[in-house]
Amino acid sequence: MSKVAVADMAEPVGTEVADTLAVIKAGPQMLIQDSGRRGSQHLGISVGGAADTHAAGWANRLLDNSGDAALLEICLGGVALRFLRAARFALTGADLNWQLDGRALGNWQSHTAAAGAVLRGGLAAHGVRAYLSLGGGIAVTPVCGSRATTVAEGIGGIHGQTLQSGDLLHAPVVPAPAFIARRTPAIFCRDYPAELLLRVVPSNQHHLFGEHQLRAFFSQEYQVSPACDRMGVRLLGAALASPPQGLVSEPVTAGAIQVPASGLPIVLMPDCQTIGGYPKIGHVYRVDLDRLAQARPGQCVRFVRGSRAEAQTEWLLQRKFFHGGA
């Protein structure tokens, strides 16, 4: 029997689910994710969800899955999975030089696997996170309306933890049409360049920073610190002198750029806390966070001024494309 509970799923009533993937080797951090857990922040529960919504969205779109379908987020690579039955799947995000029974597979594409086939992913040469979707999505019990794994809170996925060798993943058994391999249009495939340019909307505390601090923030080049994860990305560079202090904690969300007493910015990511007291110099566009989620330690980051209208328009367009206007 699988470790995965299969009650209370969002698949249509009567849909059969079956063991589909067995984890042979999980790599450093492989998680079940979806589009996130919204509406529970007042309870102190993080939104979570796929760190790179662009890559995750394409992984599901290539299989005609719902935009909210659960899929695998694989950090850095070094994984091996066995298909327990014939299945359709798609691969996007960081290229792990995927191989199915020793045969090379293209990234940003959909594929089929026969029962017993072994899928292996090496270490990513560029980027950090790869995504693997299954036809119909991964079936696990939702928590607060989402299957997303938040390890710090121990909820979602399988027991709220990273996947381990021996874990089994379920997927719906649905009639499959004749398979036609699909590819993400080249314009939407990303290769994760060495330098990132992140657009910023001023925050409600933007005015607390002096002109010299703002000039320093937008003019310099930062580097991604090794101290980065799904909760936040710390940046290294010239510290901003005398950032504002003594603020009352208030709600925060992914994309907020906090500046603690050290003067070195922290960009909050999907698993961030729900409240914080550090001053916020701005918010990174939500669509640009997808690129930051693929940044490695040492990678260069620059910030440029943007507008709330542009940030909202681009995010709504992306949500409509992957979720049908949700």
Side-chain angles (χ1 to χ4, degrees):
M1 294 292 292
S2 167
K3 298 179 183 178
V4 182
V6 293
D8 190 29
M9 300 199 192
E11 285 74 38
V13 174
T15 297
E16 179 188 358
V17 296
D19 291 348
T20 303
L21 273 182
V23 179
I24 301 172
K25 181 182 178 184
Q29 187 178 60
M30 185 160 68
L31 301 167
I32 295 173
Q33 294 294 349
D34 61 12
S35 60
R37 186 172 285 106
R38 291 172 172 78
S40 297
Q41 294 96 306
H42 65 292
L43 302 175
I45 298 175
S46 302
V47 173
D52 182 347
T53 60
H54 173 86
W58 272 107
N60 276 324
R61 188 176 179 89
L62 288 169
L63 297 179
D64 292 323
N65 287 347
S66 161
D68 294 319
L71 74 174
L72 291 184
E73 179 178 278
I74 303 163
C75 185
L76 294 178
V79 301
L81 304 158
R82 186 184 304 278
F83 285 88
L84 302 177
R85 62 185 178 92
R88 296 179 300 141
F89 65 101
L91 305 167
T92 62
D95 192 348
L96 304 186
N97 294 311
W98 293 101
Q99 293 188 348
L100 185 67
D101 285 342
R103 175 174 58 87
L105 296 181
N107 200 31
W108 296 96
Q109 298 180 27
S110 63
H111 307 275
T112 58
V118 174
L119 177 68
R120 298 184 185 275
L123 297 178
H126 304 284
V128 175
R129 294 176 170 90
Y131 291 87
L132 187 159
S133 61
L134 295 171
I138 297 172
V140 290
T141 304
V143 177
C144 295
S146 170
R147 296 166 174 78
T149 308
T150 307
V151 174
E153 296 167 358
I155 59 175
I158 300 179
H159 308 309
Q161 300 299 316
T162 58
L163 294 177
Q164 304 295 319
S165 299
D167 282 336
L168 301 180
L169 304 179
H170 290 79
V173 179
V174 295
F179 178 76
I180 300 176
R182 299 172 68 181
R183 293 175 172 80
T184 303
I187 191 174
F188 295 113
C189 296
R190 293 181 174 172
D191 57 6
Y192 313 117
E195 180 172 290
L196 290 177
L197 198 62
L198 302 178
R199 295 167 292 178
V200 175
V201 176
S203 74
N204 59 322
Q205 287 143 8
H206 186 82
H207 66 284
L208 298 179
F209 292 84
E211 187 56 38
H212 66 289
Q213 295 167 319
L214 295 174
R215 187 163 51 248
F217 174 76
F218 284 108
S219 65
Q220 75 164 294
E221 181 178 85
Y222 291 97
Q223 291 79 43
V224 174
S225 164
C228 59
D229 55 25
R230 285 181 47 86
M231 294 185 69
V233 174
R234 293 178 179 270
L235 299 175
L236 302 175
L240 301 184
S242 304
Q245 299 292 310
L247 302 182
V248 176
S249 292
E250 63 181 11
V252 294
T253 189
I257 309 169
Q258 296 183 322
V259 183
S262 68
L264 294 175
I266 304 169
V267 183
L268 300 186
M269 299 300 282
D271 284 0
C272 68
Q273 69 277 17
T274 57
I275 62 171
Y278 292 138
K280 300 182 296 296
I281 199 168
H283 287 80
V284 174
Y285 282 27
R286 185 60 188 84
V287 295
D288 286 359
L289 276 189
D290 294 338
R291 300 180 186 275
L292 184 58
Q294 297 287 1
R296 293 174 172 241
Q299 207 158 333
C300 298
V301 175
R302 287 186 177 275
F303 296 100
V304 295
R305 298 174 189 269
S307 71
R308 179 176 288 108
E310 182 182 54
Q312 291 175 338
T313 297
E314 292 195 20
W315 175 235
L316 289 173
L317 285 173
Q318 179 169 299
R319 289 282 298 177
K320 183 176 181 180
F321 184 72
F322 289 129
H323 298 267

